[in-house]
């Protein structure tokens, strides 16, 4: 499982880094894309924090200036790799409270997979937002990454 999750987080790192670079080169990044990418970064931190039983640094929809995206992204990835490296059981149950105060339990493996799936989902929304703003998004398909 460690190899599997390391590969997925390598892919996630590649995609987010590519999107950060692409946005940094644009004269104007669409506002919705800024909101969505900030949300990707925030959610990643929140799920890492839940896995580590610590307080998250960010709110769910907190907006970040593009100049800070790379640092936040790097810290999120470093933290995820640390979680994966130190994991002895991906079926370990993690208890957490949602932002609405509801209590849930999921396995560490489910949480790690959710981080990847959640990021992919919102990157796709960013690609749609780019197209609606006449920006041609770079392809971030997994198979292209693996080639």
């Amino acid at each position: 499982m460690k190899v599997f999750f390391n590969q997925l987080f390598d892919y996630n790192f590649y995609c987010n880094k590519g999107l950060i670079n692409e946005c940094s080169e644009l004269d104007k990044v669409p506002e919705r894309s800024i909101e969505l990418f900030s949300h990707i970064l925030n959610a990643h931190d929140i799920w890492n924090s839940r896995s580590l039983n610590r307080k998250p640094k960010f709110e769910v929809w907190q907006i970040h200036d593009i100049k800070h995206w790379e640092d936040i992204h790097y810290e999120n990835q470093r933290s995820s790799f640390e979680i994966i490296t130190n994991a002895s059981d991906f079926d370990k149950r993690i208890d957490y409270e949602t932002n609405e105060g509801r209590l849930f339990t999921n396995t560490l493996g489910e949480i790690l997979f959710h981080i990847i799936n959640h990021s992919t989902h919102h990157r796709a929304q960013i690609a749609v937002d780019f197209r609606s703003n006449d920006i041609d998004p770079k392809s971030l398909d997994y198979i292209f990454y693996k080639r």
Side-chain angles (χ1 to χ4, degrees), residues 53-140:
N53 196 29
R54 67 169 165 81
K55 184 177 179 353
K57 296 177 193 135
F58 308 114
E59 298 294 323
V60 175
W61 288 102
Q62 183 176 336
I63 302 299
H64 303 285
D65 191 297
I66 293 170
K67 67 183 175 189
H68 299 297
W69 286 3
E70 192 166 8
D71 290 338
I72 296 168
H73 172 54
Y74 178 81
E75 180 56 30
N76 282 341
Q77 290 294 122
R78 188 204 59 71
S79 184
S80 290
F81 283 127
E82 181 181 318
I83 291 166
I84 294 165
T85 299
N86 294 329
S88 58
D89 181 8
F90 290 96
D91 290 325
K92 175 186 174 190
R93 309 292 292 171
I94 307 288
D95 298 322
Y96 61 92
E97 185 176 335
T98 66
N99 298 333
E100 296 82 28
R102 295 184 64 200
L103 299 175
F104 289 95
T105 300
N106 288 96
T107 67
L108 177 60
E110 290 168 342
I111 289 171
L112 291 170
F113 188 77
H114 174 71
I115 293 169
I116 300 300
N117 195 52
H118 179 265
S119 297
T120 301
H121 169 76
H122 289 302
R123 284 193 301 264
Q125 289 179 313
I126 291 169
V128 169
D129 189 43
F130 272 27
R131 286 187 189 101
S132 70
N133 284 279
D134 297 319
I135 302 166
D136 188 29
K138 292 181 173 69
S139 177
L140 298 175

Side-chain angles (χ1 to χ4, degrees), residues 43-58:
H44 193 156
D45 171 68
I46 289 166
W47 285 105
N48 279 345
S49 296
R50 288 173 176 165
S51 299
L52 295 167
N53 196 29
R54 67 169 165 81
K55 184 177 179 353
K57 296 177 193 135
F58 308 114

